[in-house]
Amino acid sequence: MPPPPPEPGEQAPVVAPKNDPTPHNMQPHQNSHHQKRNTEGPSPAQRSEPSPTPQPTLAPNQIHQHHHPSTPPPTKNLRRTHHHQHPPNQARTKHHQTPKQRPTASTTPTTPQRHRHEATQWKQEQTELSRRNLPPSPPSLPIVGHLHLLKQPLHRYFYKLYQALGPVFSLRFGSQLVVVISSPSGTEECFTKNDIVLANRPRFTIGKYLGYNYTTVVNSPYGDHWRNLRRIMSLEILSTNRLNAFLSIRRDEVRQLLYRLYQKSSTDFAKVELKSKLSGLTFNITMRMIAGKRYYGDDLENSAEAEEFRELMTEVFLYAGASNPAEFLPVLRWIDYKGFEKNLIKIHKRMDALLQGLIEEHRRDRSKKTLIDHLLSLQESQPDYYRDAIIRGLISVMILAGTDTSAVTLEWAMSLLVNHPQALKKARTELDSHVGQDRLIEEQDISKLPYLQAIISETFRLCPTAPMLIPHMSSDDCIIGGFDVPRDTILLVNAWAIHRDPKLWDDPIIFKPERFEGGEVEGYKLMPFGFGRRACPGVGLAQRVVGLALGSLIQCFEWERVSEDLVDLTEGKGATMPKAEPLEVMCKARDMMKKIVLHGRNHA
């Protein structure tokens, strides 16, 4: 077992595997003098504001050779000092006095010096990259690169660039090189022969705070710590046995949703807004698995805590999907453009306090048999690794990655179905034939419902909740599509473009679930959960939640559009590609509802 990673505020661990060099800018700064291990962990203040990266210093023998730009070089007439040797601690001219005029090896360079160093480094990088066979790129501007060209939504803008430049092209976000892949063959190269090289993540500000200083399974650099987190997620949290143990939670939350809809539509069609209801469904399923609590809907255990949680989640997802140009322009980062980092620090503190409160609550009462209880039992046997910070990181990933994505998929699926009533009717006929009208659909029925699965796959194709997947970072030079991809390059895969490529799909923009009735798609044509080592580990949970919820909604209700106009499928802002406008539809309970839903609530 590798040593535990530091909490936020400490340097994130970076362990490079053999033949897998970790990016130079991810290596932790080592100080061989007076270095002492902090066994108790940082204070809350340290967790919220990680220390800045140490700046390079001057060696003693370089002090006289490195002159301040505002002072003239030393005169050659040094006859009086030529024969006099000063002791090392006195060998200074008036321009090298400290601490007022000249930074020494123990001081940090001033802001102008740091900016000049960054400018010099940028020029050197440009010169080196100009000699390489980089992917094609549109014209750019100095300093900002292509940032001024970017338009939302990014996946649609990158699709236009793909049509003009080809399936592999490059951009510059400030001084940061970005390569975008828009073809199955390029994607296959990324996640097969280059999978290890591209297994790192960029160090964005969001990962510094919401990712616990890059120590969660999503933000952690590739290495021993990440492999151990991945093992925990796969074997301890999202294994088949663990998911089966929480089956009753998913069934109960879906039936509560059906009952609330039935109350509004038991006699006739009624307008319902589905976005908030589907979001509450997925959050309640996840939080009941994690902590045994419901935060949305009726019968809440603690309404004040639930309201605080809902407000916090709204802010978290707002910032998680926000663009931040300061990531690529140091001057904006220095002035904290729009207070982005300041607000993230506040959100991190609130999130950290909420999650730690849940841990302490379960430490006092271990009777709920939740994921926190299980992780605390592992903490007893391995206290050095399963620290509270690790548990908070695992919980935060479950919440941020496992809730909004499923809710957005369900909303898109229902939007597509009401716009295509023939597909909706065909799905209901399949359910009535294989499940019947005497009971509700169960998770074990989903594998016997190929058309329902085809609807879900077609929704993943047209409306992926990660249209650009999660960004990767190259840890070494590699070649993709015949082009050089240098070390420390951000790599994006435009899954949305691949899913709609007319070279790969017939009628690519048409909702046609029948294209998936023949079985699974071969190759790298469909990738809603990514590929390779860092593919989403929550595939099993997402498929169970989406399959059960969507099948239940189709089985138990009639659905129609509010008007004759088609539902607007415009995409909104956000990392998960939500609908721009929340879905409103007309809903009417089928005749089977009263008998089945009420009976199910009494015997669940």
Side-chain angles (χ1 to χ4, degrees):
M1 175 92 48
E7 298 187 18
E10 301 177 2
Q11 177 63 43
V14 180
V15 182
K18 295 181 180 179
N19 302 322
D20 177 28
T22 305
H24 179 70
N25 64 356
M26 290 189 180
Q27 297 294 341
H29 179 75
Q30 299 294 333
N31 185 355
S32 58
H33 300 287
H34 311 294
Q35 190 172 11
K36 184 177 179 182
R37 180 181 176 86
N38 184 355
T39 58
E40 297 180 359
S43 65
Q46 290 174 319
R47 286 200 301 268
S48 62
E49 297 192 40
S51 303
T53 303
Q55 298 293 332
T57 56
L58 298 175
N61 62 352
Q62 295 176 315
I63 292 178
H64 288 285
Q65 301 173 9
H66 190 94
H67 298 287
H68 196 279
S70 63
T71 61
T75 177
K76 294 183 179 179
N77 185 14
L78 299 177
R79 189 171 300 171
R80 298 193 58 179
T81 61
H82 180 70
H83 299 289
H84 181 73
Q85 300 294 328
H86 290 279
N89 61 343
Q90 297 178 7
R92 304 178 186 274
T93 68
K94 65 180 180 179
H95 298 302
H96 296 94
Q97 296 175 5
T98 58
K100 293 183 179 180
Q101 297 183 20
R102 177 66 183 172
T104 67
S106 61
T107 62
T108 303
T110 62
T111 299
Q113 287 176 315
R114 186 166 62 251
H115 287 172
R116 280 192 295 272
H117 172 73
E118 290 174 349
T120 302
Q121 186 178 20
W122 181 82
K123 291 180 181 178
Q124 292 173 347
E125 290 175 354
Q126 304 308 304
T127 302
E128 180 182 352
L129 291 176
S130 65
R131 302 190 186 104
R132 296 176 180 249
N133 179 30
L134 297 179
S137 177
S140 64
L141 294 178
I143 309 299
V144 299
H146 298 97
L147 286 175
H148 67 293
L149 298 177
L150 299 184
K151 300 176 183 178
Q152 296 291 343
L154 281 180
H155 53 270
R156 288 186 177 271
Y157 175 67
F158 289 161
Y159 182 65
K160 293 180 180 179
L161 290 181
Y162 151 58
Q163 292 175 315
L165 300 173
V168 182
F169 61 87
S170 62
L171 297 170
R172 286 210 161 275
F173 294 176
S175 61
Q176 175 65 58
L177 180 63
V178 178
V179 171
V180 182
I181 308 297
S182 305
S183 70
S185 60
T187 304
E188 185 175 4
E189 280 190 73
C190 293
F191 300 126
T192 51
K193 71 176 185 178
N194 293 317
D195 194 23
I196 292 179
V197 175
L198 297 172
N200 274 324
R201 297 292 192 201
R203 293 169 72 86
F204 293 141
T205 306
I206 195 89
K208 183 178 180 181
Y209 297 103
L210 300 186
Y212 285 83
N213 205 26
Y214 316 104
T215 60
T216 66
V217 70
V218 174
N219 299 283
S220 174
Y222 181 70
D224 289 341
H225 172 60
W226 173 82
R227 278 189 287 268
N228 203 53
L229 288 176
R230 178 76 177 205
R231 181 189 61 80
I232 294 170
M233 293 292 291
S234 300
L235 301 180
E236 305 292 349
I237 295 178
L238 297 172
S239 67
T240 300
N241 290 337
R242 189 71 54 189
L243 293 179
N244 289 340
F246 293 124
L247 170 62
S248 61
I249 292 177
R250 295 189 293 276
R251 180 195 296 131
D252 181 61
E253 286 299 328
V254 168
R255 291 184 178 180
Q256 291 201 46
L257 170 62
L258 298 178
Y259 181 69
R260 288 194 296 273
L261 291 173
Y262 172 78
Q263 288 179 315
K264 293 192 66 174
S265 62
S266 59
T267 58
D268 200 356
F269 278 98
K271 181 190 293 188
V272 294
E273 188 270 300
L274 279 184
K275 181 182 179 68
S276 60
K277 292 178 172 58
L278 296 174
S279 180
L281 167 72
T282 56
F283 267 106
N284 281 340
I285 288 174
T286 302
M287 291 310 298
R288 285 181 66 180
M289 290 173 59
I290 292 172
K293 291 188 172 185
R294 302 181 74 248
Y295 287 126
Y296 293 81
D298 306 321
D299 304 324
L300 300 180
E301 182 179 339
N302 187 327
S303 57
E305 179 183 335
E307 182 177 358
E308 180 185 0
F309 177 86
R310 293 193 297 267
E311 291 177 357
L312 179 58
M313 287 302 103
T314 300
E315 293 186 43
V316 166
F317 282 104
L318 177 65
Y319 275 85
S323 59
N324 180 26
E327 301 285 1
F328 310 106
L329 298 175
V331 65
L332 296 183
R333 186 165 61 248
W334 180 61
I335 64 174
D336 192 14
Y337 179 67
K338 292 187 176 181
F340 187 86
E341 189 165 3
K342 179 181 178 181
N343 291 331
L344 270 183
I345 292 172
K346 294 179 180 178
I347 292 174
H348 164 70
K349 289 180 178 179
R350 292 172 58 194
M351 183 85 167
D352 208 46
L354 186 147
L355 298 181
Q356 187 61 38
L358 293 176
I359 293 173
E360 296 299 336
E361 183 178 326
H362 283 259
R363 196 169 266 139
R364 294 188 296 267
D365 180 10
R366 302 276 288 276
S367 62
K368 294 183 178 180
K369 304 301 180 184
T370 63
L371 288 176
I372 292 181
D373 292 324
H374 181 61
L375 293 172
L376 288 176
S377 66
L378 294 174
Q379 186 182 69
E380 293 176 354
S381 58
Q382 302 178 58
D384 290 337
Y385 190 82
Y386 287 94
R387 297 184 302 176
D388 284 1
I390 292 293
I391 296 177
R392 292 196 301 270
L394 292 168
I395 296 172
S396 69
V397 168
M398 286 284 294
I399 296 173
L400 298 180
T403 52
D404 193 52
T405 50
S406 295
V408 168
T409 299
L410 285 167
E411 187 180 13
W412 279 119
M414 290 300 300
S415 301
L416 292 167
L417 286 173
V418 295
N419 277 355
H420 299 83
Q422 293 300 320
L424 179 61
K425 181 179 179 180
K426 185 174 179 179
R428 184 180 297 114
T429 301
E430 180 184 65
L431 281 159
D432 290 345
S433 175
H434 289 80
V435 179
Q437 299 187 27
D438 296 326
R439 66 177 180 88
L440 288 174
I441 179 179
E442 297 285 355
E443 283 185 2
Q444 59 265 30
D445 297 317
I446 297 174
S447 61
K448 305 170 187 176
L449 301 168
Y451 194 70
L452 176 64
Q453 295 181 65
I455 289 173
I456 295 172
S457 295
E458 182 71 341
T459 303
F460 284 147
R461 185 186 71 85
L462 287 172
C463 310
T465 54
M468 300 297 300
L469 301 188
I470 299 179
H472 293 253
M473 174 75 84
S474 61
S475 60
D476 202 354
D477 297 348
C478 62
I479 296 177
I480 301 174
F483 296 104
D484 293 334
V485 176
R487 176 177 178 168
D488 296 338
T489 297
I490 292 178
L491 183 127
L492 301 174
V493 175
N494 193 347
W496 185 91
I498 296 173
H499 291 178
R500 293 178 178 237
D501 193 335
K503 300 175 184 176
L504 305 174
W505 307 92
D506 296 329
D507 302 322
I509 64 173
I510 302 299
F511 177 73
K512 190 164 62 174
E514 289 77 11
R515 72 175 85 240
F516 291 102
E517 285 188 296
E520 295 185 1
V521 177
E522 296 181 359
Y524 289 74
K525 293 171 58 177
L526 185 67
M527 54 191 79
F529 301 99
F531 280 112
R533 283 167 172 79
R534 304 208 69 151
C536 176
V539 177
L541 177 60
Q543 290 176 335
R544 291 172 185 236
V545 171
V546 172
L548 181 61
L550 184 61
S552 299
L553 292 174
I554 296 173
Q555 180 190 26
C556 297
F557 296 92
E558 303 282 349
W559 299 95
E560 293 181 358
R561 299 191 294 270
V562 174
S563 67
E564 294 183 359
D565 296 332
L566 294 178
V567 171
D568 185 3
L569 301 181
T570 303
E571 301 145 10
K573 296 180 180 180
T576 58
M577 205 181 87
K579 278 182 86 280
E581 296 295 331
L583 175 61
E584 290 186 340
V585 287
M586 303 300 292
C587 168
K588 179 183 178 182
R590 299 180 71 193
D591 294 338
M592 58 181 285
M593 276 298 298
K594 185 173 183 179
K595 177 178 64 175
I596 293 182
V597 174
L598 294 181
H599 178 78
R601 281 182 60 84
N602 294 330
H603 297 85

